[in-house]
């Protein structure tokens, strides 16, 4: 009987039979976990453009500063006008500190008494008509025109130079924004490369209006801005999202000033890519900022 009982035991069972089954279960669990991980990663990648919301940020050696899209676009405009007028970076710092104090770098429809626009300039003080002062390019140009008339403005304390332009109630308030103005100037005047980034979810993207963007860029930077590429940009030209344009630049600072303008105005004009000096910004991954792109040219800014 004992011999018969031992013969009934299947030859594959025994001390190791459970171990084989255990290893198979472990393998199945590992595969399932891996598949779940791949699925979660895929979902995360699809949802990622929606997770960060909308915003901009500048990052320089002097510090970081968050901005919304309007603030960033206005900040880029200030740097572009300074470049057009061939002004030193210090002039841009003064302008930024002034705009932060007056409007938080926003194009306000009104303010104290008859103040209007980004610099809260007053028509009653001879700055111009309200509709002109609400144009960031025009108001910035007027600010710089007044600033360069201040004798020795580059050597004055910031609040002193700004007050001689603004004629506000308390000019000392401008001084508190000098550090932020220094950060913005380093980023938007191109002294530090690839320092400005913007992002927004797919739902806030707009149709391509690149011809309009390039005409506005030329109005801001000046008629000397050289624009080429296969896509037309003259008035009435149909947008060609699949094509591109190239803005020629004389030096790295000019290149990054142009690139920052394009990135900060991308949402408004439906721009999707900006490439310059070995770096690449793409609207689909705007929060990642500028990524490496060895083929991006040094003497032009490619805008798509």
């Amino acid at each position: 009987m004992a011999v018969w009982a031992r013969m009934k035991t299947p030859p594959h069972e025994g001390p190791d039979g459970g171990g084989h089954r255990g290893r198979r279960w472990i393998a199945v669990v590992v595969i399932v976990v891996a598949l779940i991980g791949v699925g979660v990663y895929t979902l995360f990648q699809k949802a990622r453009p929606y997770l960060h919301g909308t915003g901009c940020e500048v990052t320089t050696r002097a510090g970081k500063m968050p901005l919304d899209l309007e603030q960033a676009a206005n900040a880029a405009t200030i740097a572009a006008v300074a470049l057009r007028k061939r002004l030193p970076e210090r002039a841009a710092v003064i302008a930024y500190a002034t705009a932060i104090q007056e409007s938080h770098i926003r194009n306000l429809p009104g303010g104290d008494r008859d103040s209007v626009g980004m610099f809260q300039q007053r028509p009653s003080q001879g700055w111009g008509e309200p509709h002109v002062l609400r144009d960031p390019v025009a108001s910035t140009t007027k600010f710089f025109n007044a600033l360069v008339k201040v004798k020795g403005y580059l050597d004055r304390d910031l609040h002193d130079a700004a007050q001689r332009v603004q004629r506000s109630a308390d000019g000392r308030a401008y001084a508190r924004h000098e550090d932020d103005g220094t950060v913005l100037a380093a980023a938007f005047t191109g002294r530090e490369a690839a320092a400005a980034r913007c992002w927004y979810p797919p739902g806030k993207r707009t149709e391509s209006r690149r011809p309009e963007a390039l005409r506005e860029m030329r109005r801001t930077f000046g008629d000397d801005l050289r624009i080429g590429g296969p896509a037309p940009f003259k008035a009435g030209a149909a947008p060609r999202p699949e094509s591109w344009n190239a803005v020629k630049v004389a030096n790295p600072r000019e290149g990054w000033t142009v690139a920052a303008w394009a990135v900060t105005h991308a949402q408004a004009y439906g721009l999707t890519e900006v490439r310059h000096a070995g770096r690449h910004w793409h609207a689909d991954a705007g929060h990642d900022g500028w990524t490496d792109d060895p083929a991006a040219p040094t003497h032009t800014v490619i805008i798509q």
Side-chain angles (χ1 to χ4, degrees), residues 18-39:
H20 287 307
R21 288 194 295 272
R23 285 193 290 272
R24 285 198 296 269
W25 274 109
I26 291 173
V28 169
V29 170
V30 168
I31 293 172
V32 170
V33 169
L35 291 174
I36 292 173
V38 171

Side-chain angles (χ1 to χ4, degrees), residues 118-199:
M118 184 162 50
F119 293 96
Q120 288 292 278
Q121 294 152 330
R122 297 179 58 190
S124 63
Q125 291 183 342
W127 284 102
E129 294 296 322
H131 72 278
V132 174
L133 301 179
R134 286 209 63 201
D135 174 1
V137 176
S139 64
T140 302
T141 300
K142 287 177 176 290
F143 177 86
F144 282 135
N145 287 346
L147 179 63
V148 298
K149 293 177 182 178
V150 176
K151 186 176 180 180
Y153 77 93
L154 292 175
D155 299 319
R156 293 180 180 273
D157 290 338
L158 183 144
H159 70 275
D160 182 24
Q163 173 65 358
R164 289 172 184 268
V165 173
Q166 295 294 105
R167 294 170 283 173
S168 66
D170 183 6
R172 291 172 298 179
Y174 300 118
R176 70 183 67 154
H177 305 296
E178 184 165 358
D179 289 345
D180 285 342
T182 300
V183 171
L184 294 176
F188 287 107
T189 67
R191 178 162 58 83
E192 296 194 28
R197 63 190 175 111
C198 293
W199 60 90

Side-chain angles (χ1 to χ4, degrees), residues 74-93 95-96 136-137 140-141 143-145 147-148 153 184-185 187-191 216-226 247-262 276 299 301:
N74 288 334
T77 294
I78 289 173
V81 175
L83 177 63
R84 165 162 56 85
K85 299 177 75 62
R86 304 302 178 200
L87 297 177
E89 185 175 333
R90 178 64 176 175
V93 174
Y96 285 129
V137 176
T140 302
T141 300
F143 177 86
F144 282 135
N145 287 346
L147 179 63
V148 298
Y153 77 93
L184 294 176
F188 287 107
T189 67
R191 178 162 58 83
E216 178 64 12
M217 182 180 287
R218 175 167 279 177
R219 184 176 81 93
T220 307
F221 283 87
D223 292 337
D224 292 338
L225 194 70
R226 296 170 295 170
V247 180
K248 294 183 180 181
V249 293
N251 54 63
R253 290 194 70 157
E254 181 177 339
W256 286 112
T257 301
V258 169
W261 190 98
H276 178 59
H299 300 295
V301 179

Side-chain angles (χ1 to χ4, degrees), residues 28-58:
V28 169
V29 170
V30 168
I31 293 172
V32 170
V33 169
L35 291 174
I36 292 173
V38 171
V40 170
Y41 177 78
T42 302
L43 289 174
F44 172 75
Q45 289 298 104
K46 290 183 178 180
R48 192 164 174 253
Y50 297 90
L51 299 178
H52 300 294
T54 300
C56 298
E57 183 180 67
V58 297

